[in-house]
Amino acid sequence: MHTNFTPEEHDFEQEVQAFFKDKYPDDIKQKQDRAIPLLKEDFIRWQKVLYEQGWAAINWPVEYGGTGWSTVQKYIFANEMAKANAPAIVPFGLGMVGPVIYTYGNEEQKQRFLPDIAASNVWWCQGYSEPGSGSDLASLKTRADRDGNEYIVNGTKTWTTLGQMADWIFCLLRTSSDVARKQEGISFILVDMKTPGVTVRPIITIEGGHEVNEVHFEDVRVPLNNLIGEEGKGWTYGKVLLQHERTSIAGVARSEYRLNRLKDKIRNADKAQPSLQGDNSFLRKIAALEIELKALEYTELRTLAAVSVGNAPGPESSLLKIRGTEIQQRLDELFMEAAGYFSLPYVPDQYSLESNETMHVGFGSDTVSSLQYFNNRKASIYGGSNEIQKNIIAKHVLGL
Amino acid sequence: MDFSITEEQSALKDVISRFIDNEYDFERRMKIADGETAFNHEVWNFFVEQGFTAILFSEEDGGLDGGAVEMMLIMKEIGRGLMLEPFLENIVLAGGVLKRLGTTKQKEQWLGEIINGEIQATVAFTEPQSRFNLNDISTTAKKQNNQFIINGKKSFVPNGADADLIIMPARTSGSQSDTHGITLFGVSKESDGLSFNTYKTVDGHSATEITITNVKITADCVIGNIDEGYDCLEETIDEATLAICAEAIGIMRSLHDKTVEYSKNRVQFGIPIGGFQALQHRMVDNLMACEQSESLLLWAVMTDAKNTKNLKKAISGLKYQIGTAGKHVGQEAVQLHGGMGISWELDIAHLFKRLSALEILFGNADFHLQRFIDLSDS
């Protein structure tokens, strides 16, 4: 029983560190470090750097352009990525629809879609939730009715993250209502966002940002060969994808990075900002969080170890999602608490690389702390709310 | 990275696990707890015969070269079985001091006798005023010719009634809370001037208050150097803390499993109560508390013991977790069992009580959270 790396894993770690040091674009790094929102082109440029290195499709099998890494290698990579504060890979293409296509798609679909996903040539978004189907996702009503060699899609998807940037959307659509269980009759279908009848409308979230959207479908004609796998089996495919999503949204390494930033902030408080170093009640909150996060790190390692001997991430990924998002939100709270009054200015426009930080109201990262806090209340809601995760654990782990 | 245990470790776990399932059921445990003696000597002999008493010591010291993983496996089972036998006191505490600082002669004699089951032993690590501070020692040892005269009081000495050998820290110099100036003495229970007040504890175990009046100890019973016993005492208590955290996790898992099982069978309003979402989510919280605790246990077990600061930090982090998560799981298990949860007849009550005692033993959650902070780089 040990958590040591092999010599090869150590070499790999150094290789990854060197990569982030040399290849991570400096202007993107500055934006990340100063909490300036990234543009679509920033994400794409960064993901293409990863692609050139052969490190974009981390979880994919080698035959589709994946890395073929072991779970330990993936763990090392995620850690180094967090330590470098590099942007996380936008999950919709590489993390979500890609695996569904190479697992359930036919040969033609694999060749048509996978290369562009791997190279970040095409931006994807996710069409799952609907205005009437949140936690009860299987109650979704957006229809895909067969008409010759096409589906006609009608309905509305919502909470579509970065849909305003997307070229394609993967959807769970109802292809049959004549079913015994509502989980049946749902199909996994890919839709080109440029198809006539697709409209994207922004939803402004609590902190004032535009991250999510409503996507409306009005008589949208989609070729039948955009159906992935079997008609009516989409629920099963979508569920597999959600389990992958849940492990990745635990964000352990990134929370560790943020925790260290918070500790640095307290240690290096300058004259302009009062020090929290002597505030023991605050230090106790940080320590309690650090312990909880350390526990989650080992829970993740235990899950990875199980996966590396051939077990798929199962319901235990729900545990990672719950605790991971709780910890992220706790960090958000503590950053805002630490910022005090400086968390209150609402001046989102002041953040750009060109603007001089000394001209800002307050301190960049301090004013952003409140926006982050408000925005990230989403973490315990998306990916299947934490209450839904508890239902899953109760049913599949506890057998209730 | 490897979370698996070896075949030998797995076999060790199986032996003790089978023993509990076949010969140490709850009924027998309660008989032992209610009996005249603090624990069952036949069961202790089983520990000796199986080599459990030797496992944590080096081959050189007559042991089997086991380590933290073996200790964890044994203690988890002791927790699950609510065992009363003094593995912690003999092996982890007294044995822990002797393996670290004992002279060859002291090891041959005392450690050998502990391993063989010929003597019982313990460490008197706390005094009435010291709460969880190991360095707060007002018991004094004054040198007089070739011997020491000890005076003072030790409170809450587990296995104190049976211990033939009581390892006592006493102050040979410095003031009450100095870490320097603490010396460890091996004291025979037959020594003139010792008086014992033994009592049962809420968890079915027992402990003893020892008053020490002009007890004369010869110099060859000093363990380690004069004035320099503190580090060994702290390391030993840390190892014991790790041990009882494993015990606590054995108990927490047992409480959790029994609660889930109960909820599947207990019918109210026409359905098993496990069908109610409000209760399901609480049981999921319990499961997560168990898993997160297990993860920290593994962290502490796998922390390189050579990095003493990291190890201390890991153990305090773990004990904080056990203090908070253990309390949560224990209280919830009782609550979900309803009236049955507070009846003496059911094992739930006794698992909860032992868990509650372990939350206090060697420092509660507050104490260890502060220690975790103090050990962090500032």
Side-chain angles (χ1 to χ4, degrees):
Chain A
M1 203 178 261
H2 65 89
T3 50
N4 302 330
F5 290 149
T6 63
E8 293 75 30
E9 288 161 354
H10 267 299
D11 291 346
F12 178 73
E13 187 181 33
Q14 289 187 347
E15 188 189 348
V16 175
Q17 280 169 358
F19 167 77
F20 280 106
K21 194 162 161 280
D22 300 339
K23 300 285 174 63
Y24 177 25
D26 195 51
D27 59 316
I28 299 180
K29 180 174 164 45
Q30 276 196 49
K31 279 190 178 179
Q32 282 281 98
D33 291 348
R34 287 166 59 185
I36 297 165
L38 300 188
L39 304 173
K40 179 179 178 179
E41 67 214 39
D42 295 324
F43 283 113
I44 291 177
R45 182 152 50 94
W46 169 230
Q47 287 181 193
K48 281 187 177 291
V49 172
L50 289 168
Y51 173 69
E52 295 300 323
Q53 181 77 12
W55 291 356
I58 290 162
N59 291 308
W60 295 20
V62 180
E63 52 178 313
Y64 303 121
T67 56
W69 284 343
S70 68
T71 42
V72 175
Q73 283 177 301
K74 289 175 197 169
Y75 169 77
I76 290 171
F77 182 77
N79 255 321
E80 293 305 326
M81 191 150 175
K83 274 198 247 164
N85 198 21
I89 292 171
V90 179
F92 309 107
L94 286 156
M96 296 179 171
V97 72
V100 172
I101 292 173
Y102 67 64
T103 310
Y104 301 107
N106 60 37
E107 214 39 55
E108 182 270 331
Q109 290 167 331
K110 290 178 194 176
Q111 285 178 17
R112 179 152 60 115
F113 292 109
L114 293 178
D116 280 339
I117 296 173
S120 295
N121 291 334
V122 172
W123 188 294
W124 287 81
C125 64
Q126 181 185 40
Y128 275 24
S129 294
E130 296 182 6
S133 303
S135 289
D136 182 14
L137 182 59
S139 72
L140 57 89
K141 291 193 173 63
T142 299
R143 283 172 16 233
D145 302 317
R146 270 177 185 261
D147 181 42
N149 56 359
E150 289 177 323
Y151 288 111
I152 301 174
V153 181
N154 277 290
T156 302
K157 292 292 178 183
T158 194
W159 310 125
T160 313
T161 302
L162 302 184
Q164 74 269 33
M165 302 176 182
D167 306 301
W168 279 73
I169 182 168
F170 58 93
C171 299
L172 288 180
L173 301 173
R174 186 155 294 288
T175 41
S176 167
S177 307
D178 183 23
V179 288
R181 293 169 65 244
K182 62 189 175 188
Q183 284 81 2
E184 294 162 20
I186 292 173
S187 299
F188 195 99
I189 294 172
L190 314 178
V191 181
D192 185 339
M193 301 280 279
K194 290 186 292 294
T195 319
V198 178
T199 331
V200 180
R201 293 194 196 124
I203 300 173
I204 303 304
T205 40
I206 181 168
E207 83 291 1
H210 176 202
E211 201 174 47
V212 288
N213 303 273
E214 269 194 353
V215 181
H216 300 271
F217 298 86
E218 203 185 334
D219 293 328
V220 177
R221 305 192 77 89
V222 178
L224 287 186
N225 63 10
N226 284 13
L227 166 76
I228 299 294
E230 275 181 65
E231 195 176 88
K233 292 281 164 61
W235 183 255
T236 318
Y237 310 152
K239 230 170 38 174
V240 170
L241 180 157
L242 279 176
Q243 281 176 353
H244 283 284
E245 182 187 6
R246 278 167 204 148
T247 9
S248 61
I249 55 187
V252 172
R254 214 158 278 272
S255 288
E256 278 168 356
Y257 173 83
R258 292 184 69 207
L259 182 78
N260 287 329
R261 287 279 294 257
L262 182 61
K263 284 160 71 177
D264 286 345
K265 184 178 164 62
I266 289 168
R267 264 196 293 269
N268 306 327
D270 57 28
K271 279 192 202 104
Q273 272 187 302
S275 170
L276 281 162
Q277 188 66 56
D279 185 343
N280 205 45
S281 60
F282 194 74
L283 297 182
R284 287 175 81 91
K285 289 181 196 173
I286 293 180
L289 186 66
E290 184 178 342
I291 292 166
E292 184 74 27
L293 181 56
K294 181 57 83 174
L296 195 70
E297 181 193 331
Y298 271 73
T299 303
E300 187 179 46
L301 287 174
R302 288 165 61 203
T303 311
L304 290 179
V307 171
S308 68
V309 293
N311 302 322
E316 68 271 22
S317 62
S318 295
L319 189 160
L320 289 171
K321 197 269 171 174
I322 296 171
R323 277 288 187 263
T325 52
E326 283 172 355
I327 288 169
Q328 289 164 22
Q329 293 179 333
R330 185 79 180 129
L331 272 164
D332 298 330
E333 265 175 68
L334 293 183
F335 269 106
M336 186 167 165
E337 241 178 84
Y341 285 125
F342 297 116
S343 70
L344 297 180
Y346 177 59
V347 280
D349 295 340
Q350 74 180 3
Y351 306 114
S352 75
L353 263 195
E354 292 69 39
S355 72
N356 180 348
E357 186 139 9
T358 57
M359 302 290 284
H360 285 178
V361 177
F363 302 85
S365 63
D366 280 343
T367 48
V368 174
S369 68
S370 52
L371 304 186
Q372 166 70 17
Y373 167 73
F374 292 124
N375 173 276
N376 204 37
R377 298 313 300 169
K378 70 189 176 190
S380 49
I381 299 168
Y382 65 41
S385 74
N386 288 8
E387 288 71 24
I388 291 294
Q389 307 304 331
K390 288 185 183 181
N391 290 351
I392 292 172
I393 297 174
K395 186 170 174 196
H396 297 285
V397 181
L398 302 184
L400 294 171
Chain B
M1 190 169 77
D2 179 10
F3 284 82
S4 59
I5 54 175
T6 65
E7 273 177 36
E8 289 82 7
Q9 288 165 341
S10 170
L12 165 71
K13 180 180 176 292
D14 289 348
V15 172
I16 183 162
S17 179
R18 261 202 310 274
F19 180 80
I20 290 167
D21 292 341
N22 299 333
E23 296 182 51
Y24 206 92
D25 62 8
F26 176 60
E27 201 182 334
R28 182 170 187 206
R29 188 270 181 190
M30 290 310 286
K31 261 195 199 121
I32 298 169
D34 294 340
E36 293 289 303
T37 55
F39 62 92
N40 184 291
H41 289 266
E42 277 172 37
V43 174
W44 186 248
N45 285 339
F46 170 79
F47 272 68
V48 174
E49 284 158 18
Q50 293 296 325
F52 296 165
T53 53
I55 235 157
L56 299 188
F57 305 110
S58 68
E59 275 183 42
E60 207 184 325
D61 291 346
L64 299 171
D65 259 340
V69 176
E70 283 78 7
M71 181 173 81
M72 169 183 82
L73 295 171
I74 293 173
M75 290 304 295
K76 270 182 167 173
E77 290 300 316
I78 284 178
R80 184 175 74 85
L82 268 187
M83 295 186 89
L84 296 155
E85 284 61 36
F87 183 83
L88 177 76
E89 294 82 350
N90 280 306
I91 309 305
V92 188
L93 287 172
V97 168
L98 291 168
K99 78 179 176 190
R100 287 180 173 87
L101 285 187
T103 60
T104 313
K105 194 173 156 240
Q106 286 167 343
K107 282 182 184 170
E108 268 171 24
Q109 190 195 342
W110 289 330
L111 196 53
E113 289 174 345
I114 290 171
I115 292 173
N116 295 335
E118 288 165 46
I119 62 166
Q120 287 288 315
T122 190
V123 174
F125 53 85
T126 186
E127 300 188 354
Q129 83 291 344
S130 56
R131 198 167 163 82
F132 306 130
N133 300 305
L134 297 171
N135 51 318
D136 185 338
I137 290 173
S138 62
T139 295
T140 57
K142 296 225 157 58
K143 195 159 190 221
Q144 209 172 66
N145 303 322
N146 202 25
Q147 58 183 14
F148 288 85
I149 314 290
I150 306 184
N151 278 286
K153 189 161 186 181
K154 297 293 178 185
S155 59
F156 200 78
V157 184
N159 204 31
D162 288 272
D164 303 286
L165 171 71
I166 303 150
I167 296 175
M168 275 185 201
R171 189 155 290 290
T172 37
S173 74
S175 56
Q176 192 176 318
S177 288
D178 290 347
T179 50
H180 186 80
I182 295 167
T183 306
L184 304 175
F185 295 90
V187 178
S188 160
K189 76 165 174 190
E190 308 296 345
S191 311
D192 285 338
L194 289 179
S195 86
F196 298 87
N197 178 17
T198 295
Y199 48 90
K200 288 270 180 192
T201 49
V202 291
D203 52 2
H205 286 242
S206 68
T208 303
E209 279 180 17
I210 305 177
T211 309
I212 310 138
T213 314
N214 291 324
V215 171
K216 297 186 178 66
I217 299 293
T218 52
D220 60 344
C221 292
V222 171
I223 303 169
N225 293 333
I226 305 283
D227 285 344
E228 291 173 7
Y230 180 76
D231 286 349
C232 169
L233 180 64
E234 191 186 16
E235 277 174 34
T236 303
I237 297 297
D238 268 337
E239 193 179 3
T241 306
L242 180 58
I244 62 160
C245 287
E247 181 182 352
I249 287 170
I251 296 174
M252 287 161 67
R253 287 222 183 262
S254 179
L255 279 167
H256 169 66
D257 292 345
K258 286 171 194 289
T259 303
V260 171
E261 201 49 42
Y262 180 77
S263 81
K264 289 177 184 172
N265 297 314
R266 171 72 174 169
V267 174
Q268 291 287 277
F269 305 104
I271 62 165
I273 61 171
F276 297 121
Q277 193 183 39
L279 304 193
Q280 288 178 351
H281 285 196
R282 290 166 72 169
M283 287 185 269
V284 170
D285 287 341
N286 287 349
L287 171 70
M288 292 196 293
C290 289
E291 293 302 338
Q292 290 286 77
S293 301
E294 177 96 34
S295 289
L296 285 176
L297 175 67
L298 293 172
W299 172 47
V301 163
M302 289 190 265
T303 297
D304 182 4
K306 285 195 268 316
N307 191 333
T308 45
K309 194 173 170 185
N310 276 359
L311 183 64
K312 285 180 193 181
K313 217 181 142 176
I315 288 169
S316 275
L318 170 63
K319 188 61 167 55
Y320 165 78
Q321 168 75 11
I322 295 300
T324 50
K327 183 164 279 173
H328 179 81
V329 170
Q331 291 176 351
E332 288 289 273
V334 169
Q335 178 70 20
L336 292 173
H337 275 83
M340 293 308 291
I342 52 166
S343 57
W344 189 276
E345 173 194 339
L346 226 66
D347 50 4
I348 295 299
H350 301 276
L351 287 159
F352 176 51
K353 286 190 283 183
R354 177 62 179 162
L355 188 54
S356 304
L358 294 178
E359 281 160 32
I360 295 169
L361 190 57
F362 307 134
N364 65 3
D366 277 352
F367 175 84
H368 279 282
L369 186 63
Q370 192 58 49
R371 186 172 183 248
F372 184 89
I373 293 169
D374 295 341
L375 288 163
S376 300
D377 302 313
S378 52

